[in-house]
Amino acid sequence: MSTWESEHLSQGSPKYHISDNNKVHIYNMRFCPYAERTVLVMLAKNIPFNIVNINLKNKPDWFVESTFGQVPVILHKENIIPESLIGCDYLDDVFGEPKLHPQDPLQKALDRVVVEKQSGMMKFLFPIYVKIPNKIVSYDEKVEMFDKLVNHLQSFESELGGRGTTFLGGEESPNMADYMIWPFFERVECLPKLIDEKFTLPSSLVHVHAWMKAMRETKPVKEYGLSPERLAKATSISMEFSDYDKAMKESAGL
């Protein structure tokens, strides 16, 4: 398994050479929440894989020519599989236990509804923690977006309360739905460090806080996940310098 802290390949970098087509390779960006989904699934399923980090602000020509120009992209047996949800479904279908999707088709569909709904938090989260080209988002606008985010999460609070289990996947371990939405909550969790304490999730979201604490203790998140401190520092560096490698190196160890 190649390190996920490797340099992000950019314009002019030699094309990545696949020496073993039977092994899974993933085009990744260390701080991309969508790519993180795929890495978490591979770790949860104990799939051997290689990571190839891509500089999304200065993409290699060969990457753009062979993909949609976005990460994650799975390379497996000479196939190119883009998009996080599609790729994760592929991994769960092709590789063995543990299966992350429920076996019951109805429950699988209901879990996907939760994923789609909670993925919608990004429309509130993105303007808070990402520098948007040609637009300045004021502090008050960020507070307003955070209030909308908290309101949005009421549905997840109800979902967790209704299920009555530690994870969406049950009491013992996360399932596909848990891993698909976790990366967004990592970014919510870093907001007090990135901005200030006003951006802390309220304690009234009891089930959400308990779920986040439990997810932090899972093996895949411990291995690949980003602490609030690291993500806040990396985000600040990336916004100031537009340099993923600098962000990665200077936030390491946090």
Side-chain angles (χ1 to χ4, degrees):
M1 184 184 300
S2 62
T3 174
W4 35 72
E5 303 287 326
S6 58
E7 178 184 359
H8 290 75
L9 303 184
S10 58
Q11 185 81 26
S13 296
K15 184 176 181 179
Y16 176 66
H17 174 68
I18 298 176
S19 57
D20 183 357
N21 279 314
N22 290 315
K23 192 172 187 179
V24 175
H25 306 258
I26 173 177
Y27 290 144
N28 183 62
M29 193 278 271
R30 184 62 181 96
F31 303 109
C32 174
Y34 298 97
E36 183 176 351
R37 287 171 157 176
T38 309
V39 177
L40 293 178
V41 165
M42 289 190 288
L43 291 172
K45 292 179 69 66
N46 300 306
I47 301 170
F49 63 97
N50 281 337
I51 275 187
V52 185
N53 283 330
I54 300 293
N55 185 338
L56 299 179
K57 296 180 181 178
N58 188 22
K59 304 168 189 175
D61 289 339
W62 50 262
F63 170 72
V64 175
E65 290 166 1
S66 62
T67 71
F68 292 161
Q70 300 173 325
V71 296
V73 178
I74 291 172
L75 310 173
H76 186 227
K77 295 186 176 181
E78 300 185 0
N79 297 305
I80 299 174
I81 304 153
E83 302 293 337
S84 58
L85 294 179
I86 295 170
C88 290
D89 284 350
Y90 172 83
L91 293 171
D92 205 40
D93 288 339
V94 170
F95 292 89
E97 300 294 332
K99 290 295 184 182
L100 298 180
H101 274 306
Q103 294 303 302
D104 176 42
L106 175 59
Q107 191 57 56
K108 180 178 178 181
L110 293 175
D111 280 3
R112 183 51 58 87
V113 171
V114 174
V115 171
E116 292 296 332
K117 187 172 183 63
Q118 297 313 315
S119 297
M121 74 172 74
M122 287 302 288
K123 65 177 175 287
F124 308 118
L125 185 56
F126 191 78
I128 299 175
Y129 88 101
V130 174
K131 187 176 182 180
I132 302 174
N134 303 316
K135 180 175 174 59
I136 297 176
V137 181
S138 70
Y139 181 85
D140 288 343
E141 287 174 321
K142 290 182 179 182
V143 170
E144 181 181 354
M145 282 292 173
F146 184 72
D147 289 341
K148 290 180 179 179
L149 172 63
V150 170
N151 185 60
H152 178 85
L153 291 179
Q154 296 296 336
S155 63
F156 190 47
E157 175 73 10
S158 298
E159 183 70 34
L160 290 168
R163 296 200 183 200
T165 54
T166 301
F167 305 103
L168 293 171
E171 197 58 43
E172 298 300 322
S173 60
N175 71 359
M176 184 68 78
D178 291 291
Y179 288 123
M180 293 304 96
I181 62 177
W182 167 252
F184 307 136
F185 284 88
E186 267 189 358
R187 280 132 191 92
V188 173
E189 203 175 29
C190 89
L191 294 179
K193 303 289 184 183
L194 181 64
I195 308 174
D196 63 39
E197 294 300 319
K198 186 173 285 191
F199 293 83
T200 303
L201 287 181
S203 58
S204 58
L205 294 173
V206 176
H207 299 297
V208 173
H209 279 287
W211 176 83
M212 291 171 68
K213 182 178 180 180
M215 287 296 294
R216 275 282 174 204
E217 293 303 310
T218 61
K219 185 173 179 286
V221 173
K222 281 185 171 181
E223 286 189 54
Y224 187 76
L226 299 160
S227 69
E229 293 79 11
R230 184 177 191 191
L231 189 52
K233 183 165 185 177
T235 301
S236 296
I237 293 171
S238 183
M239 285 194 294
E240 183 176 356
F241 298 101
S242 297
D243 188 332
Y244 300 133
D245 290 334
K246 180 179 176 68
M248 191 168 60
K249 293 172 184 175
E250 294 188 11
S251 66
L254 292 178

